[in-house]
Amino acid sequence: MRESGILLPISSLPSDYGIGCFDEEARRFIDQLAGAGQRVWQVLPFGPTGYGDSPYQPFSVYAGNPYFISLKALVEKGWLSRADCESVNWGSDPRRVDYGTLYNRRFVLLQKAFAASGIENTADFQAFIRENPWLDDYALFMALKNAHSGASWQDWEEPLKRRDPQALAAVRERYRGEITFQCFIQYCFFTQWREILDYAHSKQVRILGDIPIYVSMDSADVWAQPRLFQLDEALRPAAVAGCPPDAFAPGGQLWGNPLYDWDYHQKDHFSWWIARTRFTFTLCDILRIDHFRGFEAYFSIPAGDRDARNGHWVQGPGMAVFDALREALGEREIVAEALGYVTDEVRALIRRTGFADMKVLQFAFDARDTGSASDYLPHNYPENCVAYTGTHDNATLLGWQQEISPAELDTARRYLCTGAGDQDLVWAMVCAALRSVAKLAVIPIQDYLGYGGEARMNKPSTQENNWTWRLLKEELTPALLEKIGAATRLYGRGGAQ
């Protein structure tokens, strides 16, 4: 069955307390999705964010973001008061997340809730700890990070950096309270999210989650298992991840993530990938794998370089990792993000996996990328793909048409047979994605709203003003939801008849 969905990060949900979270607004959005005939809610990665606030650079591939915990739910449990939550100025602009305020004030409230909860010795809490073996390293990592004023684990004392057993035993005792607090945060996160997930399923809405291919260097994952990565004897990266120079970025993209030691992973039968993927599928129904092309070949940049010009391609694990996943987990619904520099080898790997790939309509009209632009024209889509107008990394449709050249804009208008109005082209592109043969079409909420560059979620390779945009409560009006539902029904995407 052909389906459609909406992309809206958890952080962008309306909320009274500074950032979207797992409260009644999440349930209200699910109701709105269901009422408009949408069957999929796409979110961004759930991990705890650090410097730069990017969900693609989390402190753990397992842990959840403390900011998403509903404070109202903690009030309902009696662990906080409403006055506690309303005593904080969560930011002057309800349209933007103020991460500085969240960092300085949210944890104070979570600490207060923890102290009032009396949960430490309860059977439910202890069972949660036992059932999540990753939690031990993560809680200790965060306790030590806080004890070191946020410094990277690479700058800790040598015994802690290298996980000397005696040193770890000593700090486990010293920071026992902080470690338990970190476990409490994760308990709240996962308890609340699973309630939201169950609610979505009750409304026949599935969650499309997101798994970054790489992990942050400053993460519990690298600290706990350095042998999984290409590190030198000083536990520094020998090379880092990124993308080569192209027409969009003359210096390439320098992400800085450590690269995997794929030989080690293969000898270990990809057990780390199996565990990570199995766990993520407990949180979502469909999984988008970010930067999928890195499994076919990855771009290796010498550590210490200021850009990606000196990088080179290295062969990745290819089909071996996906054979291992399929053997361990069975058939799962996966979306391969293979945008940008895509080779015939990458396309062949996607076909062999059977995963759906992504088609972004904005790319179809880019004169700088004529070699692959036709792949993104809707009349060339295969059924086994997910059609997008844009992603979290793209401009909104309105912002995009204000940035492209007059020739590109003319091509888009002629292809879509639309008028000269800005919003005419926005809606024509939304409808083109919906009426394509793609089995799933996902539209960012900003495009349904017709918003411009001020509503962009992320601009790759920049550090400012990313990941902050938020939806306001009154914006998804009954008229707009009916318009979405009517288009969904018109193009046969499973909307209520």
Side-chain angles (χ1 to χ4, degrees):
M1 181 176 69
R2 296 163 76 251
E3 296 178 307
S4 60
I6 290 178
L7 168 59
L8 180 70
I10 299 296
S11 62
S12 295
L13 285 166
S15 167
D16 294 331
Y17 302 133
I19 191 171
C21 60
F22 304 146
D23 62 11
E24 74 277 1
E25 290 298 334
R27 293 176 175 83
R28 180 168 176 257
F29 182 64
I30 291 167
D31 290 340
Q32 291 169 327
L33 286 170
Q38 306 307 294
R39 294 292 173 255
V40 173
W41 176 11
Q42 180 171 343
V43 296
L44 297 185
F46 284 147
T49 54
Y51 177 77
D53 311 306
S54 171
Y56 293 90
Q57 295 280 358
F59 289 135
S60 167
V61 299
Y62 288 98
N65 192 332
Y67 299 154
F68 296 167
I69 294 171
S70 168
L71 298 182
K72 291 182 179 179
L74 303 185
V75 171
E76 290 171 3
K77 287 182 173 294
W79 298 347
L80 290 176
S81 71
R82 187 172 177 181
D84 290 329
C85 304
E86 294 180 350
S87 67
V88 177
N89 179 356
W90 295 104
S92 58
D93 184 357
R95 180 67 83 190
R96 298 287 169 186
V97 176
D98 183 339
Y99 284 102
T101 296
L102 288 175
Y103 180 77
N104 289 319
R105 302 303 298 274
R106 183 63 68 107
F107 292 101
V108 174
L109 293 180
L110 292 176
Q111 281 274 14
K112 188 170 186 177
F114 172 56
S117 70
I119 201 172
E120 183 172 352
N121 295 315
T122 65
D124 193 39
F125 182 63
Q126 291 300 319
F128 173 78
I129 293 173
R130 289 194 304 273
E131 292 163 5
N132 291 277
W134 56 269
L135 188 55
D136 182 62
D137 281 322
Y138 172 74
L140 179 58
F141 172 84
M142 292 305 298
L144 289 173
K145 191 169 184 62
N146 290 337
H148 289 82
S149 302
S152 167
W153 66 267
Q154 294 176 289
D155 298 323
W156 298 349
E157 303 91 323
E158 201 68 13
L160 295 178
K161 176 180 172 181
R162 295 187 178 276
R163 296 177 58 87
D164 175 77
Q166 287 186 322
L168 293 187
V171 293
R172 283 184 195 281
E173 181 59 31
R174 181 177 180 183
Y175 300 118
R176 189 182 71 82
E178 176 67 15
I179 291 168
T180 307
F181 170 58
Q182 293 296 331
C183 293
F184 169 78
I185 289 175
Q186 295 306 307
Y187 171 84
C188 292
F189 177 97
F190 287 106
T191 300
Q192 291 185 8
W193 172 246
R194 291 196 166 100
E195 291 174 353
I196 297 296
L197 184 61
D198 288 344
Y199 187 79
H201 290 166
S202 76
K203 299 294 183 177
Q204 288 76 55
V205 172
R206 297 189 296 158
I207 303 299
L208 199 170
D210 196 326
I211 186 169
I213 181 175
Y214 292 121
V215 304
S216 172
M217 184 65 203
D218 187 21
S219 66
D221 312 292
V222 183
W223 176 65
Q225 300 186 75
R227 287 198 295 179
L228 298 175
F229 305 91
Q230 296 181 29
L231 307 182
D232 61 21
E233 291 184 358
L235 298 180
R236 300 282 177 178
V240 296
C243 280
D246 58 19
F248 307 96
Q253 295 182 35
L254 180 64
W255 300 335
N257 306 79
L259 296 167
Y260 295 108
D261 183 342
W262 284 117
D263 288 340
Y264 182 90
H265 282 267
Q266 187 140 16
K267 291 174 184 175
D268 193 39
H269 307 291
F270 301 103
S271 63
W272 184 85
W273 277 98
I274 291 169
R276 178 188 184 188
T277 307
R278 177 185 285 116
F279 180 81
T280 308
F281 266 116
T282 68
L283 308 178
C284 64
D285 306 289
I286 315 167
L287 186 58
R288 172 190 180 272
I289 300 180
D290 186 60
H291 194 61
F292 182 86
R293 70 107 50 245
F295 290 99
E296 193 283 321
Y298 60 89
F299 201 64
S300 175
I301 304 166
D305 279 17
R306 294 185 176 182
D307 60 30
R309 298 175 198 269
N310 294 322
H312 65 284
W313 290 103
V314 181
Q315 194 67 38
M319 195 63 196
V321 63
F322 302 113
D323 285 338
L325 287 175
R326 182 170 284 112
E327 182 178 354
L329 307 180
E331 295 293 334
R332 297 297 182 104
E333 193 168 352
I334 292 176
V335 179
E337 186 276 305
L339 305 173
Y341 183 70
V342 182
T343 64
D344 289 341
E345 290 79 8
V346 175
R347 295 185 183 95
L349 179 59
I350 295 174
R351 287 194 299 270
R352 288 184 65 193
T353 63
F355 300 159
D357 66 349
M358 294 174 57
K359 302 296 183 184
V360 177
L361 191 51
Q362 288 185 26
F363 294 167
F365 308 108
D366 198 314
R368 297 171 296 179
D369 197 21
T370 55
S372 62
S374 63
D375 290 349
Y376 299 107
L377 289 167
H379 67 267
N380 289 326
Y381 290 179
E383 181 181 350
N384 189 29
C385 75
V386 183
Y388 291 84
T389 50
T391 74
H392 63 276
D393 281 336
N394 294 109
T396 66
L397 283 179
L398 181 60
W400 167 80
Q401 65 179 294
Q402 294 169 347
E403 296 172 358
I404 60 177
S405 71
E408 291 167 328
L409 184 59
D410 180 65
T411 299
R413 292 195 188 283
R414 287 188 292 108
Y415 180 86
L416 295 162
C417 303
T418 189
D422 288 347
Q423 293 298 339
D424 291 338
L425 183 56
V426 168
W427 188 247
M429 291 183 74
V430 167
C431 290
L434 292 175
R435 69 171 169 260
S436 72
V437 299
K439 67 179 184 180
L440 174 63
V442 176
I443 311 298
I445 195 65
Q446 294 96 320
D447 289 343
Y448 272 130
L449 291 163
Y451 287 167
E454 76 284 351
R456 183 168 184 164
M457 194 64 186
N458 180 53
K459 190 171 184 179
S461 300
T462 66
Q463 296 291 331
E464 302 294 328
N465 301 315
N466 293 322
W467 317 111
T468 66
W469 183 83
R470 296 179 63 200
L471 181 70
L472 303 182
K473 291 183 180 181
E474 64 273 14
E475 289 181 301
L476 287 185
T477 63
L480 177 57
L481 292 168
E482 173 53 34
K483 184 179 181 180
I484 295 170
T488 301
R489 294 189 296 272
L490 179 63
Y491 298 120
R493 289 203 170 269
Q497 298 300 315

